[in-house]
Amino acid sequence: MKLKYTLTLICSLFIYAGFSQIHLSTMVWSAEGTEIISDAKRYDDGSIYVAGRFTEATDFDHSDAEVILEPIGVIDVYVAKYSHFGELIWVHSFGAVGEAQNKLQMQLDDEGNAFLSGVFDGEVDFDFSAEEYVLDGNNEVYLLKINADGEFQFAYEFNVYEGPMQLDKEGNVLMVGQFFGIKDFNPGAEEFYLDNEDGNRYFLKLNNAGEFVWAKNVGESENPFFVDDIGVNSNNEIYLTGNFTDTLFYVVDGTENYSVNEDVYGIGLIKYDSDAEILWGGALLGEGANYATDIAIDRDDNIIIGGLFTEELDFDFGAGATIETVENRAMYIQKLSSDHELLWYGIMPTNGSITNCYFNGIVTDQYNDIYFAGDIATDFIDFDPGVGTDNRSSWDDQADAFFGKWSADGTYIWAKTIGRVGNDRANSIFLDEVGTIYLAGGFSDNCDFDPNDGTYFIDALGYPDGYLSRYYQGLTGIEPTPVFDGLSVYPNPTAGTFTISGLTAGDQVEVYSLNGELLIQNQAMNINHEISLAHLADGVYLVKVVNKASSRMVKVVKG
């Protein structure tokens, strides 16, 4: 079944003193099976990498050409690279006869190399060329590196359980997970063993070329620390966050530290230097079940943590007490300074009738505003942590995807859901330089991808199908609306002059301030049109292109 690419103009409307167009751009991976996107990332040149799993023959090229891949096993993994306009650059897949490949995550380094980690079974050839590089796994973890041209670089296997994977600022690979017994964590010719008697989690670092750097134990064998996410600040200092049962154990400068939350889950946060020496640790204690699932580090090295709690939780990692109590489950986001002082927190309570309620990603923009995405299956959740309310519910108790935005000071800005019949999930969220929001995940049955008052339904052929959608935030910065594909603006950000490519002679080009003031108006003479912002102050501007058929808008950053 052919990959579907949908690009549809839905409607236009006025907002504030200017225009905001609602356009929908959604790429759909669709066949009579599973084609879910597990992870997606954007590279600096605008290209998009997607990684997921599929079970049926699928065409990964949305143009008139066809690039059809067929799975070898029950469930195979695919990884593909597309241009900013959705043009397929390359795609590869791997699997094993009669086996299912599970779990998947991906990170990109500064050179556009892709690192994939997941769980594999059977004999898998990880080399996409005429050569072979076969690993034989039995529910084991792999690490695969592919360069920007889609060429195999290396693959390793580890006889451990999966966990989060991240890259530091130098492109080194950081991996955390669970293991039992004595394991060798050096994928090279030499050996480096860790013993589970000394800890319950491994913490592994490889350099960008896949060479072993170090491996450490995390926690104690009798006091599990379930690490769910990894964050890295500008100094390459590393944060591990997750939850623990009874006791969180860590050693700082030779001093043993124990944070006790007896018989219930507490939330842990441990900070390491780049050599895996612990610099700081702390815990959030309370009643009920408490989880930290996601972490992000903003441009000022502030720490943003998102998760879920029930009953009661103290949000202060320090000596103070900032206790919140809820009747049912609640999601939360909190922000700490680089010195781990609590700056603020916000909670999003539910009514308790819930099967899914969790984040699948938290990111920040150049202004340190916070964006988040995940899944809900509930009668309602209030996404506004302030005195107001913004209740959202999923369709018929099935999972819907959500995404939202809070300001850097914790002020609620907006939250949206996409979904309808069937389970619809957001597995990944990321931004471009001008704040365009990308969502990727899976949907089934019939999904409405318009997060506003309109509708844009796509029917899934499989269960689930994969999607990648882009949403533009509009003039006011409040309503997230899908972005239009078809214009290329470069360089963006710009020092003063930029070019719009993809125009038609006669198109009208207008530049607006964020408050809707018209600043520049002229007419394109050919496909490429140059505009100077030299006389304007540094900041964000909206460029609108109008012709007889439609109007389009993009953000441009000067400075």
Side-chain angles (χ1 to χ4, degrees):
M1 189 62 61
K2 187 170 179 61
L3 173 148
K4 295 181 178 178
Y5 179 80
T6 305
L7 177 60
T8 303
L9 172 64
I10 298 180
C11 61
S12 298
L13 74 163
F14 289 93
I15 291 182
Y16 202 58
F19 292 92
S20 178
Q21 283 70 39
I22 294 184
H23 301 271
L24 182 59
S25 174
T26 299
M27 293 177 65
V28 174
W29 285 250
S30 188
E32 294 179 355
T34 294
E35 296 76 35
I36 192 169
I37 295 179
S38 301
D39 210 345
K41 296 287 187 292
R42 181 182 183 274
Y43 185 52
D44 293 342
D45 65 359
S47 58
I48 305 293
Y49 295 65
V50 298
R53 296 176 294 140
F54 72 117
T55 62
E56 300 288 341
T58 302
D59 182 3
F60 288 90
D61 192 331
H62 68 262
S63 70
D64 293 336
E66 290 185 342
V67 179
I68 298 175
L69 299 182
E70 294 193 20
I72 299 172
V74 178
I75 303 177
D76 280 14
V77 170
Y78 68 84
V79 55
K81 181 179 180 179
Y82 295 86
S83 74
H84 172 74
F85 299 107
E87 301 159 333
L88 179 65
I89 299 173
W90 52 257
V91 60
H92 300 297
S93 65
F94 56 86
V97 175
E99 301 291 350
Q101 313 308 317
N102 296 302
K103 310 288 186 180
L104 182 61
Q105 54 190 313
M106 177 176 61
Q107 301 292 341
L108 303 182
D109 68 13
D110 290 340
E111 303 298 323
N113 298 305
F115 293 80
L116 279 71
S117 181
V119 177
F120 78 107
D121 279 299
E123 295 184 358
V124 175
D125 181 7
F126 287 93
D127 193 338
F128 314 120
S129 70
E131 305 294 327
E132 289 187 348
Y133 194 88
V134 177
L135 298 176
D136 190 356
N138 181 17
N139 199 37
E140 293 176 313
V141 170
Y142 67 85
L143 175 67
L144 169 65
K145 180 181 179 181
I146 307 168
N147 69 15
D149 295 322
E151 298 168 333
F152 170 81
Q153 301 299 292
F154 65 75
Y156 300 130
E157 64 179 310
F158 301 93
N159 186 19
V160 295
Y161 290 94
E162 82 284 349
M165 184 262 291
Q166 185 59 270
L167 303 184
D168 68 14
K169 303 305 180 184
E170 297 175 351
N172 299 305
V173 183
L174 306 170
M175 301 174 68
V176 178
Q178 188 177 22
F179 74 108
F180 295 95
I182 301 173
K183 302 296 183 182
D184 178 15
F185 285 89
N186 189 342
E190 298 182 1
E191 298 174 337
F192 188 92
Y193 290 93
L194 293 179
D195 189 341
N196 186 256
E197 290 297 322
D198 300 321
N200 62 82
R201 293 293 185 274
Y202 64 86
F203 186 11
L204 172 64
K205 180 177 180 178
L206 307 177
N207 68 19
N208 193 264
E211 299 168 331
F212 177 80
V213 180
W214 47 251
K216 302 283 186 178
N217 288 108
V218 177
E220 290 183 313
S221 57
E222 65 270 23
N223 295 309
F225 181 30
F226 305 99
V227 179
D228 281 318
D229 205 1
I230 305 171
V232 181
N233 68 17
S234 62
N235 298 317
N236 267 334
E237 295 166 334
I238 307 158
Y239 289 91
L240 304 184
T241 192
N243 62 288
F244 63 93
T245 305
D246 292 333
T247 304
L248 177 67
F249 169 76
Y250 54 94
V251 178
V252 181
D253 293 331
T255 301
E256 295 184 349
N257 294 269
Y258 294 88
S259 297
V260 179
N261 204 46
E262 190 171 355
D263 296 329
V264 295
Y265 284 135
I267 292 170
L269 180 65
I270 300 179
K271 179 181 181 181
Y272 295 81
D273 67 15
S274 58
D275 295 321
E277 295 298 324
I278 296 179
L279 302 175
W280 176 89
L284 302 181
L285 308 179
E287 303 294 332
N290 309 302
Y291 305 90
T293 59
D294 292 82
I295 187 170
I297 311 297
D298 70 16
R299 291 185 174 220
D300 296 328
D301 284 339
N302 298 307
I303 305 139
I304 295 91
I305 299 173
L308 174 72
F309 79 104
T310 63
E311 298 185 30
E312 181 182 286
L313 185 64
D314 180 0
F315 283 92
D316 195 335
F317 280 97
T322 306
I323 298 173
E324 282 285 348
T325 302
V326 292
E327 293 183 4
N328 301 297
R329 296 186 182 188
M331 300 179 72
Y332 72 87
I333 296 176
Q334 66 175 154
K335 183 174 181 177
L336 311 177
S337 71
S338 58
D339 295 325
H340 317 114
E341 296 179 355
L342 178 63
L343 299 177
W344 55 257
Y345 67 92
I347 63 173
M348 294 168 276
T350 73
N351 68 342
S353 174
I354 187 166
T355 56
N356 290 317
C357 181
Y358 49 84
F359 294 108
N360 278 330
I362 297 177
V363 296
T364 61
D365 65 14
Q366 59 183 324
Y367 308 108
N368 289 341
D369 291 337
I370 298 162
Y371 300 77
F372 52 86
D375 310 329
I376 56 169
T378 180
D379 289 343
F380 82 84
I381 178 172
D382 181 5
F383 280 106
D384 188 343
V387 295
T389 58
D390 186 0
N391 292 332
R392 303 277 168 165
S393 60
S394 59
W395 180 263
D396 197 24
D397 291 332
Q398 299 182 82
D400 282 350
F402 69 82
F403 61 118
K405 179 180 180 181
W406 291 2
S407 70
D409 64 4
T411 301
Y412 170 81
I413 299 179
W414 51 257
K416 299 291 178 179
T417 58
I418 58 174
R420 191 70 168 186
V421 180
N423 290 312
D424 311 302
R425 306 185 186 281
N427 293 333
S428 180
I429 181 172
F430 55 98
L431 311 172
D432 65 15
E433 296 90 344
V434 296
T436 305
I437 302 164
Y438 295 72
L439 281 187
F443 73 104
S444 53
D445 293 319
N446 182 250
C447 182
D448 180 8
F449 284 94
D450 188 340
N452 296 308
D453 294 334
T455 59
Y456 187 75
F457 287 100
I458 297 178
D459 292 327
L461 294 178
Y463 190 88
D465 285 350
Y467 73 88
L468 173 66
S469 290
R470 305 184 191 192
Y471 296 95
Y472 166 60
Q473 297 185 65
L475 277 173
T476 64
I478 295 175
E479 293 292 333
T481 57
V483 74
F484 183 89
D485 268 328
L487 294 180
S488 176
V489 178
Y490 56 90
N492 189 13
T494 176
T497 300
F498 66 92
T499 298
I500 306 177
S501 179
L503 298 171
T504 301
D507 284 355
Q508 183 171 296
V509 180
E510 302 168 347
V511 178
Y512 291 86
S513 68
L514 287 181
N515 64 11
E517 179 185 1
L518 178 61
L519 303 173
I520 299 173
Q521 185 176 38
N522 50 44
Q523 194 173 65
M525 303 304 294
N526 51 49
I527 190 172
N528 297 317
H529 184 67
E530 188 176 274
I531 294 178
S532 174
L533 304 180
H535 63 291
L536 300 176
D538 289 351
V540 179
Y541 296 91
L542 294 134
V543 179
K544 180 183 176 185
V545 177
V546 182
N547 58 33
K548 293 180 180 180
S550 65
S551 60
R552 296 161 283 180
M553 188 173 288
V554 294
K555 279 186 181 179
V556 173
V557 177
K558 181 193 175 189

